[in-house]
């Protein structure tokens, strides 16, 4: 299946009352090609993703909790833990707001999936969306799983880029 998705930092949180949310734990078994395991509340998945940023191939298969536990021993880097909140932003789109925990505490990103490239070109992000980081490889989850530095440094690089523009 082809995935077309944009990713942004978050400037501020919108109203989140009564929004659907799930707890997510995911780890990476392989980086290239990208293969990950993910638990969303009590559902588990094995996912492979192709190269790319905006557009890439994605295949997701449900797996058992036992399968997740077996594969968990094979992850590289850190387990990513986050709360995902589904925020409707129009009649057509639902933003997936990720609030990270643990070593990535303080990082918030939001993703929006699109049916085609034309929809991407016509999309106007809500005011609570921050910088577009779709093409910034540092913010790919597989790279965040390998992150072992100070999160403030990662976020300050974005601020420095803004002041230079």
């Amino acid at each position: 299946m082809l995935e077309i998705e944009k990713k942004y930092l978050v400037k501020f949180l919108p109203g989140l009352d009564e929004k659907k949310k799930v707890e997510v734990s995911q780890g990476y078994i392989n980086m290239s090609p990208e293969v990950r395991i993910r638990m969303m509340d009590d559902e588990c998945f094995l996912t492979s993703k192709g190269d790319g940023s905006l557009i890439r191939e994605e295949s997701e298969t449900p797996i058992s909790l036992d399968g997740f536990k077996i594969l968990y021993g094979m992850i590289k880097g850190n387990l990513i833990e986050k709360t995902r909140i589904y925020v409707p932003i129009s009649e057509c789109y639902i933003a997936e707001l990720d609030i990270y925990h643990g070593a990535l505490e303080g990082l918030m990103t939001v993703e929006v999936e699109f049916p085609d490239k034309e929809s991407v070109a016509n999309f106007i992000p809500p005011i609570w969306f921050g910088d577009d980081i779709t093409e910034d490889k540092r913010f790919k989850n597989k790279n965040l799983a390998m992150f072992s530095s100070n999160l403030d440094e990662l976020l300050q690089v974005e601020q420095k880029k803004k002041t230079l523009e």
Side-chain angles (χ1 to χ4, degrees):
M1 175 176 160
L2 202 58
E3 175 186 64
I4 304 172
E5 180 175 79
K6 290 197 64 110
K7 186 173 188 175
Y8 300 84
L9 289 175
V10 175
K11 276 193 229 177
F12 61 89
L13 291 175
L16 298 175
D17 294 340
E18 299 182 27
K19 301 290 189 265
K20 177 183 174 194
K21 69 174 149 176
V22 295
E23 296 305 318
V24 178
S25 298
Q26 68 186 42
Y28 289 81
I29 297 169
N30 198 50
M31 299 301 179
S32 185
E34 184 177 324
V35 179
R36 75 165 184 234
I37 55 170
R38 175 186 274 177
M39 181 184 297
M40 297 180 76
D41 285 342
D42 58 354
E43 294 183 281
C44 301
F45 303 91
L46 176 66
T47 304
S48 63
K49 291 190 172 203
D51 289 334
S53 294
L54 176 65
I55 302 173
R56 60 189 183 157
E57 288 289 328
E58 178 184 62
S59 174
E60 187 166 77
T61 305
I63 59 173
S64 68
L65 179 57
D66 288 339
F68 181 89
K69 288 176 181 176
I70 290 167
L71 294 170
Y72 179 84
M74 300 169 63
I75 66 169
K76 294 174 174 38
N78 305 305
L79 188 69
I80 292 178
E81 296 182 89
K82 58 189 178 181
T83 300
R84 173 163 287 173
I85 305 169
Y86 297 93
V87 182
I89 54 174
S90 72
E91 290 181 17
C92 302
Y93 303 113
I94 295 177
E96 296 178 349
L97 169 64
D98 288 339
I99 300 173
Y100 292 80
H101 307 295
L104 297 169
E105 188 78 37
L107 178 61
M108 295 185 293
T109 62
V110 61
E111 298 175 346
V112 179
E113 288 193 26
F114 299 92
D116 52 47
K117 286 172 94 173
E118 183 180 335
S119 299
V120 173
N122 294 326
F123 181 69
I124 299 171
I127 61 170
W128 58 275
F129 282 32
D131 292 337
D132 181 342
I133 54 171
T134 305
E135 301 295 333
D136 191 333
K137 294 188 183 330
R138 294 171 305 153
F139 291 97
K140 288 193 159 299
N141 279 305
K142 71 177 185 178
N143 294 331
L144 291 173
M146 302 305 288
F147 186 73
S148 61
S149 187
N150 183 338
L151 181 61
D152 288 338
E153 291 175 24
L154 179 65
L155 296 174
Q156 284 175 1
V157 170
E158 284 302 302
Q159 292 302 319
K160 287 179 188 174
K161 280 175 41 182
K162 283 175 128 175
T163 57
L164 294 175
E165 292 175 348

